[in-house]
Amino acid sequence: GENVEQHPSTLSVQEGDSAVIKCTYSDSASNYFPWYKQELGKRPQLIIDIRSNVGEKKDQRIAVTLNKTAKHFSLHITETQPEDSAVYFCAASVTGTASKLTFGTGTRLQVTL
Amino acid sequence: GAVVSQHPSWVICKSGTSVKIECRSLDFQATTMFWYRQFPKQSLMLMATSNEGSKATYEQGVEKDKFLINHASLTLSTLTVTSAHPEDSSFYICSAFNPSGGEYNEQFFGPGTRLTVL
């Protein structure tokens, strides 16, 4: 089955700096890669996703890049703000009929003032 | 649109009792729902895939007789933790797949249920 690794496990940046979180996956059939933000005790919230036919996608301060050949994808947050502090999870799945998501281990991002 | 609810949001029970958690898709029909378990400071681990009108598919290592899943309608799936023990204490989250949601396979998550077994 799919295996998703995520690094780093914790990340501390100063407000205004950029944050980068990286994930690798093992199943070459995976073609859908969402990123979730989870605050303590809350549900995961989809913040951005990318499909394998696209190399990069951007939404305001958030961007995701995908290297299908190397089987890795990254989340980039620019101009970080304290409210970006949370745990971020990457995930991978195969598009189709209700395919299950395999999650990475999570990155705890702390944005300091 | 695409709202998923869970009930209860938290529950405390005694060891040996059973607890039922409900997951509802409020504004769409979910042919498939997923149940995850999340221990503190860990990732979401898929427990089982719940398909409407058929038996759930359990992930390796998840006891199907302990975690009973019923998906009797297109808007409701239930997870029953039978004979709960302290090690079952966790955050249980469901998600629902919206077949009308395009080809992105986006899953919509419920708010989670925190189970504490004393």
Side-chain angles (χ1 to χ4, degrees):
Chain A
E2 175 66 276
N3 180 51
V4 179
E5 295 188 356
Q6 184 172 345
H7 299 281
S9 56
T10 60
L11 179 59
S12 182
V13 299
Q14 284 195 322
E15 183 180 9
D17 288 350
S18 295
V20 180
I21 302 170
K22 299 182 178 182
C23 288
T24 61
Y25 62 99
S26 61
D27 188 351
S28 58
S30 291
N31 56 3
Y32 174 62
F33 308 94
W35 285 88
Y36 294 90
K37 175 183 180 182
Q38 188 181 32
E39 297 178 347
L40 188 63
K42 301 291 181 67
R43 77 185 86 194
Q45 290 186 306
L46 179 69
I47 56 172
I48 196 168
D49 55 18
I50 191 168
R51 296 170 64 200
S52 61
N53 60 351
V54 176
E56 183 175 356
K57 184 177 178 181
K58 188 174 182 179
D59 183 4
Q60 299 184 336
R61 297 186 296 109
I62 296 173
V64 57
T65 59
L66 171 65
N67 183 327
K68 195 176 180 184
T69 302
K71 296 197 190 73
H72 65 69
F73 55 113
S74 300
L75 177 71
H76 304 252
I77 306 174
T78 58
E79 301 172 29
T80 54
Q81 302 167 1
E83 50 265 38
D84 294 329
S85 297
V87 180
Y88 291 81
F89 293 98
C90 62
S93 78
V94 179
T95 56
T97 307
S99 294
K100 60 184 181 182
L101 289 168
T102 301
F103 282 85
T105 48
T107 297
R108 183 171 300 276
L109 174 64
Q110 180 70 45
V111 180
T112 58
L113 296 173
Chain B
V3 178
V4 177
S5 70
Q6 265 182 258
H7 179 81
S9 56
W10 60 270
V11 57
I12 301 173
C13 70
K14 292 182 179 180
S15 185
T17 60
S18 295
V19 174
K20 179 185 285 188
I21 303 170
E22 294 184 347
C23 178
R24 294 181 185 272
S25 56
L26 299 185
D27 51 2
F28 66 99
Q29 293 184 328
T31 53
T32 301
M33 291 183 174
F34 300 91
W35 286 97
Y36 297 86
R37 179 168 52 182
Q38 186 177 32
F39 292 109
K41 298 187 178 181
Q42 294 189 23
S43 186
L44 285 79
M45 297 300 296
L46 180 65
M47 299 175 67
T49 301
S50 170
N51 297 296
E52 187 267 337
S54 64
K55 291 183 179 180
T57 303
Y58 290 82
E59 295 299 299
Q60 191 172 7
V62 178
E63 300 175 58
K64 63 180 182 181
D65 294 330
K66 180 172 180 61
F67 298 99
L68 302 178
I69 292 173
N70 185 286
H71 194 156
S73 78
L74 287 171
T75 59
L76 173 64
S77 175
T78 60
L79 168 68
T80 301
V81 183
T82 63
S83 187
H85 291 284
E87 57 265 30
D88 298 321
S89 298
S90 187
F91 193 49
Y92 291 85
I93 308 175
C94 70
S95 71
F97 172 71
N98 182 358
S100 301
E103 55 184 308
Y104 272 87
N105 269 49
E106 183 177 357
Q107 294 181 22
F108 299 93
F109 287 86
T113 297
R114 183 158 305 281
L115 169 63
T116 302
V117 184
L118 301 177

